[in-house]
Amino acid sequence: MSITHITAHYLRREGDAPATLSLRQEPLSIDEPKSRLLDQLKSCFLGRLNREHGSFNSDGESENSMLAATLRAFLADQQEFTQATTAIMKQMEQLVNEAALEINAHFLFFVEQSEDTHHVFYLFIVHQSESLAISDQLDVTPSYTIDTGASLACIKVDIIEWLIRQNYAYLTLSSPRGNAALGEALEKLTGFSSGINKKEATKSFLDGIESFAKQLPDDKARDYREKVVEYCMAQDERDEPVNIEELSRELPDIDRESFVREVRI
């Protein structure tokens, strides 16, 4: 996938003072360093065990999510990318002030697109770590690097799953560890809802997998389980949901209709 849009903003709030925003007026240029940065951030995000999957909160007819409304306006060419991300930052500024939340972070916005027009939106909230370096003038100077550890937070929206396939797990949220207040602010920003009970969903899925395996000869059951594991690991690495019909096509020499019925029960 390749980057189509990228920008960065900055939000700071300390003590009792109101939050201050620093906003870019133009999108950032797309180049190799920024592509490497996105790859690094995605890798860290996909390694997180605290990723939650769900959808925008909805009353049945419309989504109760400022983020969803802003993304729809951007995708419909009613707002430019800078306008859309600025609106998101102003909402975040309001949430930070309401929660009296201290923050000193950069907000990195990306849109990625694959060859088949598959769009994915990312918002990474990153902090910088300070260290020391030796300059070209052989002097000791401060140096800053992006912290991809516990402080990293991310919002991901799989736009195809959201608008076209309408999969209920199109929204992924990874909150920073040890900062529950920021996590709550991000939930309010997204209108995060319909979170998946991973333990319950995994148990139900595995029960269905094993139930179908018992209907196969031992040698086939072994290959069948290996293929299921390979598929599920690949989906997790891409932060994509397991698609039962798609999985059935990855399993040779089985009754696909029976498999889908068994695993969905």
Side-chain angles (χ1 to χ4, degrees):
M1 298 182 79
S2 58
I3 298 172
T4 60
H5 299 80
I6 174 174
T7 196
H9 303 299
Y10 175 68
L11 178 61
R12 180 187 182 102
R13 185 183 183 280
E14 290 186 338
D16 296 328
T20 56
L21 272 176
S22 296
L23 301 168
R24 275 194 66 88
Q25 301 306 309
E26 299 292 338
L28 287 162
S29 60
I30 300 169
D31 53 29
E32 182 61 25
K34 298 184 186 71
S35 295
R36 291 203 307 269
L37 173 60
L38 176 57
D39 287 342
Q40 181 183 4
L41 292 170
K42 286 199 303 183
S43 177
C44 296
F45 162 67
L46 292 172
R48 285 285 187 84
L49 297 177
N50 70 339
R51 282 177 289 147
E52 296 183 84
H53 299 83
S55 60
F56 295 125
N57 187 24
S58 171
D59 60 10
E61 296 182 359
S62 61
E63 292 146 335
N64 301 316
S65 166
M66 181 272 176
L67 178 61
T70 303
L71 285 178
R72 283 186 182 276
F74 164 66
L75 294 168
D77 294 325
Q78 296 170 356
Q79 285 187 350
E80 294 183 355
F81 191 61
T82 299
Q83 292 176 307
T85 59
T86 295
I88 293 169
M89 289 306 302
K90 289 182 176 178
Q91 177 70 14
M92 194 67 200
E93 177 187 25
Q94 180 180 333
L95 291 169
V96 163
N97 282 328
E98 289 175 354
L101 172 63
E102 291 199 357
I103 189 170
N104 182 10
H106 289 85
F107 288 63
L108 304 178
F109 294 81
F110 295 87
V111 175
E112 252 193 331
Q113 178 181 345
S114 64
E115 294 179 2
D116 62 354
T117 69
H118 189 161
H119 289 76
V120 180
F121 167 86
Y122 291 97
L123 167 56
F124 292 97
I125 297 93
V126 301
H127 298 76
Q128 295 195 107
S129 300
E130 182 178 351
S131 59
L132 296 175
I134 305 297
S135 69
D136 292 340
Q137 292 72 38
L138 303 181
D139 194 5
V140 177
T141 60
S143 175
Y144 298 91
T145 58
I146 292 175
D147 180 10
T148 57
S151 68
L152 180 69
C154 179
I155 295 167
K156 174 192 170 188
V157 182
D158 189 315
I159 293 170
I160 293 295
E161 297 289 344
W162 171 33
L163 298 180
I164 306 300
R165 298 172 188 159
Q166 297 186 335
N167 187 300
Y168 67 92
Y170 54 77
L171 175 63
T172 308
L173 176 62
S174 178
S175 299
R177 290 195 290 272
N179 194 341
L182 179 54
E184 290 175 7
L186 295 177
E187 287 187 5
K188 290 179 180 178
L189 177 71
T190 58
F192 185 84
S193 180
S194 302
I196 300 172
N197 185 325
K198 288 186 179 180
K199 184 176 180 179
E200 183 178 310
T202 300
K203 183 181 183 304
S204 176
F205 173 73
L206 292 177
D207 286 347
I209 292 295
E210 282 305 304
S211 176
F212 189 81
K214 291 176 182 177
Q215 305 171 33
L216 302 173
D218 288 346
D219 57 338
K220 267 193 178 181
R222 250 190 327 270
D223 292 341
Y224 158 82
R225 290 189 181 97
E226 288 176 1
K227 290 288 186 184
V228 170
V229 170
E230 289 174 5
Y231 172 83
C232 292
M233 289 180 65
Q235 292 300 99
D236 186 65
E237 288 174 0
R238 293 192 292 266
D239 192 51
E240 294 180 2
V242 169
N243 184 303
I244 303 301
E245 285 84 359
E246 184 179 72
L247 172 57
S248 73
R249 294 191 290 272
E250 298 291 324
L251 304 172
D253 303 324
I254 68 163
D255 184 331
R256 292 176 181 168
E257 290 186 4
S258 296
F259 171 79
V260 171
R261 284 197 303 269
E262 190 77 35
V263 175
R264 275 188 170 162
I265 291 174

